[in-house]
Amino acid sequence: MTQKAFIIGHPIAHSKSPIIHQYWLGENGIEGGYEPLDIDPKDLPAFFKQLKLGTYIGGNVTIPHKQDAIALCDEVTNEAQEIGAVNTIFVKNGRLFGSNTDILGFLANLDAKAPDWDKQGHSAIVLGAGGAARAILVALRDRGFKCVHVLNRTKQTATDLCAQISGPFQAHALEDFEKLAPEAHLLVNTTSIGMHGTKFTGMDLKRLPKSALVTDIVYTPLKTSLLEAAEAAGLHTVDGLGMLLHQAVPGFEAWFGHRPKVTPELRALVEKELGL
Ligand code: NAP
């Protein structure tokens, strides 16, 4: 029987996940499907109930359903619980298993593009304290970072986040960047700044050590204003598109039994679809 997977969101038309999974199905000669489904939040419980019947082998969950999906799964990984969001579901024997692959996606992207990025030192600055920041904090903690400064426009949100996730996290305002920068080995942007031409102000990246790595999880544009400034300061950079590609790997492997590869061809295809 042909196995089918899905991605649910509301709206869903913008998602690039179908391009990624359909590319891997074709490349690996797997007879399967991956379907985008627009599910209104009020219909989410009924959709999850129907999933148990086995029409789909699993799928992805995106905005606005990632938080609500937790309570609708039968089992959820510790990581997804800690992040507070499920983005990948596997259906087996009428039970729904939820996980979150953003941690793996973030780490695999840096491992691929900047080998030894985590060997330079274990102090990081994370900009932002929203949904995506949660996965980044867990990822850095699990990679052995000893000190992670979380800087946010709304400092209270950073304080709340640091209290909710256990780890070596300290909350600050964005204005504290220059004071903290000289000790940081890694700078990660998890805010939406960089999209639509927006940029940080009053952030001198030359304050970072010359060996520091700067990465942005925003990938539209590929070279965000932060990455441009980092390059101008002579720092090594990694863009955020690889995180999107790598986070898709565990789901595909679980559903279709084949570990797919993130190749330059896949990246070029997604860049083209995004108009990058
Ligand atoms: P979110 O929960 O809405 O959080 C947004 C964050 O950005 C908050 O910390 C917010 O600060 C900050 N922010 C927004 N506007 C700002 C401004 N004008 N100045 C300073 N800070 C500002 O969003 P999210 O889900 O975390 O997503 C953040 C970004 O990551 C999005 O662009 C998303 O596309 C991207 N992302 C990429 C990947 C990937 O695979 N590469 C994965 C997930 C997310 P306040 O708390 O002060 O509002």
Side-chain angles (χ1 to χ4, degrees):
M1 193 180 74
T2 304
Q3 304 281 25
K4 279 193 309 179
F6 62 83
I7 177 162
I8 52 167
H10 185 67
I12 196 60
H14 65 284
S15 173
K16 299 300 169 234
S17 292
I19 293 160
I20 298 170
H21 289 285
Q22 282 157 10
Y23 173 84
W24 281 333
L25 287 169
E27 276 298 293
N28 295 292
I30 296 170
E31 213 179 301
Y34 185 91
E35 299 173 354
L37 305 172
D38 192 328
I39 303 289
D40 191 282
K42 71 174 173 13
D43 299 326
L44 196 66
F47 178 78
F48 271 70
K49 203 168 165 195
Q50 192 210 352
L51 268 186
K52 294 179 178 232
L53 303 178
T55 318
Y56 293 95
I57 185 71
N60 288 126
V61 181
T62 188
I63 294 167
H65 302 314
K66 291 198 271 189
Q67 286 79 22
D68 293 337
I70 289 196
L72 297 169
C73 288
D74 296 297
E75 273 184 46
V76 168
T77 61
N78 290 341
E79 285 171 341
Q81 286 284 7
E82 203 169 16
I83 296 170
V86 155
N87 73 351
T88 303
I89 290 174
F90 184 60
V91 185
K92 194 173 180 193
N93 300 332
R95 288 176 66 76
L96 307 180
F97 298 87
S99 62
N100 190 304
T101 62
D102 280 341
I103 297 174
L104 284 171
F106 173 75
L107 293 174
N109 185 35
L110 294 189
D111 287 342
K113 295 283 179 183
D116 292 342
W117 67 275
D118 54 347
K119 312 263 181 327
Q120 311 295 327
H122 290 117
S123 176
I125 292 176
V126 173
L127 305 173
R134 291 173 169 268
I136 307 306
L137 294 194
V138 174
L140 295 178
R141 180 200 66 199
D142 292 353
R143 269 298 170 100
F145 274 72
K146 301 282 184 285
C147 179
V148 180
H149 298 289
V150 183
L151 280 57
N152 199 41
R153 174 178 62 177
T154 313
K155 188 182 169 190
Q156 187 58 45
T157 312
T159 305
D160 295 345
L161 179 61
C162 293
Q164 285 160 14
I165 300 180
S166 103
F169 310 128
Q170 293 174 34
H172 305 268
L174 281 178
E175 292 70 32
D176 291 333
F177 175 80
E178 298 212 354
K179 182 180 74 189
L180 300 166
E183 305 296 324
H185 304 103
L186 174 71
L187 173 65
V188 188
N189 176 42
T190 76
T191 76
S192 44
I193 294 281
M195 297 179 79
H196 314 299
T198 51
K199 51 175 75 170
F200 290 101
T201 51
M203 201 176 277
D204 181 4
L205 298 194
K206 291 202 180 78
R207 300 275 299 156
L208 289 163
K210 275 283 167 216
S211 59
L213 173 69
V214 179
T215 186
D216 202 323
I217 70 164
V218 170
Y219 53 83
T220 49
L222 264 186
K223 197 182 282 188
T224 60
S225 48
L226 185 78
L227 297 184
E228 257 175 21
E231 276 185 17
L235 301 167
H236 190 41
T237 63
V238 175
D239 69 55
L241 183 58
M243 177 176 168
L244 175 76
L245 305 177
H246 283 283
Q247 64 78 30
V249 169
F252 189 94
E253 184 176 20
W255 309 320
F256 302 113
H258 177 90
R259 190 167 183 82
K261 287 196 170 59
V262 173
T263 57
E265 291 72 28
L266 172 63
R267 190 182 154 100
L269 177 69
V270 176
E271 277 183 25
K272 194 168 151 217
E273 288 291 332
L274 285 165
L276 298 172

